[in-house]
């Protein structure tokens, strides 16, 4: 077998392998949210201890309830089949800094840690609201051992 024939066979094999991978690929919008047993859609994903909130965190809870809780659930517990919990190690300050929350609220975010689909931008949210929401989420995280 000459080198051109070997090269041709290799190219065909790679093309076939690539086609197989592509045919099995699903974008984040096509993949269902991770199953949580037989839990119904909308059920809380995590349990959260809620600390006494003061100052910016207390204001943030109000803003969170108005702008975020519909998807992320009361006290950021997430909802099966809807959106992830924000009281989770993935969203700890060392992995998702405060600016990540601001950018997600402003611009939306592509699904990358979870398979809930992409998050759209939050309509009408201000930077000040996001700052207070982050204070609230960080207070919840800290009360639940996420630092």
């Amino acid at each position: 077998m000459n080198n051109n024939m070997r090269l041709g066979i290799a190219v065909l094999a790679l093309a076939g392998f690539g086609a197989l991978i592509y045919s099995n690929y699903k974008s984040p919008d096509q993949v269902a949210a991770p199953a949580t047993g037989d839990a119904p859609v909308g059920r809380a994903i995590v349990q959260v201890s809620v600390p006494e909130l003061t100052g910016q965190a207390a204001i943030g809870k109000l803003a969170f309830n108005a702008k975020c809780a519909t998807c992320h659930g009361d006290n950021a517990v997430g909802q099966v089949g809807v959106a992830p919990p924000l009281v989770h190690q993935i969203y700890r300050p060392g992995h998702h800094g405060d600016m990540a929350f601001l950018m997600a609220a402003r611009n939306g975010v592509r699904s990358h840690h979870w398979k809930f689909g992409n998050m759209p931008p939050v309509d009408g949210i201000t930077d000040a609201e996001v700052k207070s929401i982050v204070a609230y989420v960080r207070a919840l995280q800290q009360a639940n051992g996420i630092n």
Side-chain angles (χ1 to χ4, degrees):
M1 200 180 297
N2 68 31
N3 286 339
N4 286 340
M5 186 177 276
R6 284 188 184 121
L7 180 61
I9 290 170
V11 167
L12 287 175
L14 284 173
F17 183 67
L20 176 65
I21 296 228
Y22 181 76
S23 70
N24 289 319
Y25 172 77
K26 294 182 179 174
S27 74
D29 292 331
Q30 296 171 314
V31 179
T36 309
D38 292 327
V41 170
R43 195 199 87 200
I45 295 173
V46 298
Q47 292 184 331
V48 172
S49 295
V50 181
E52 184 175 331
L53 300 168
T54 59
Q56 187 107 9
I59 294 167
K61 180 178 176 68
L62 298 173
F64 182 90
N65 288 344
K67 301 284 188 172
C68 310
T70 300
C71 296
H72 289 285
D74 293 336
N75 299 311
V77 298
Q79 296 188 77
V80 172
V82 181
L86 299 178
V87 182
H88 192 280
Q89 283 293 333
I90 287 176
Y91 300 105
R92 71 189 181 280
H95 190 258
H96 280 87
D98 296 356
M99 187 58 119
F101 285 86
L102 179 65
M103 297 306 293
R106 276 187 191 165
N107 306 319
V109 65
R110 288 187 56 130
S111 179
H112 57 286
H113 290 299
W114 308 88
K115 297 188 188 296
F116 291 99
N118 299 334
M119 178 183 143
V122 180
D123 288 334
I125 198 164
T126 67
D127 290 359
E129 286 173 315
V130 174
K131 186 176 179 180
S132 66
I133 290 167
V134 170
Y136 168 62
V137 170
R138 297 300 188 211
L140 290 173
Q141 289 174 339
Q142 188 171 17
N144 289 274
I146 300 168
N147 297 316

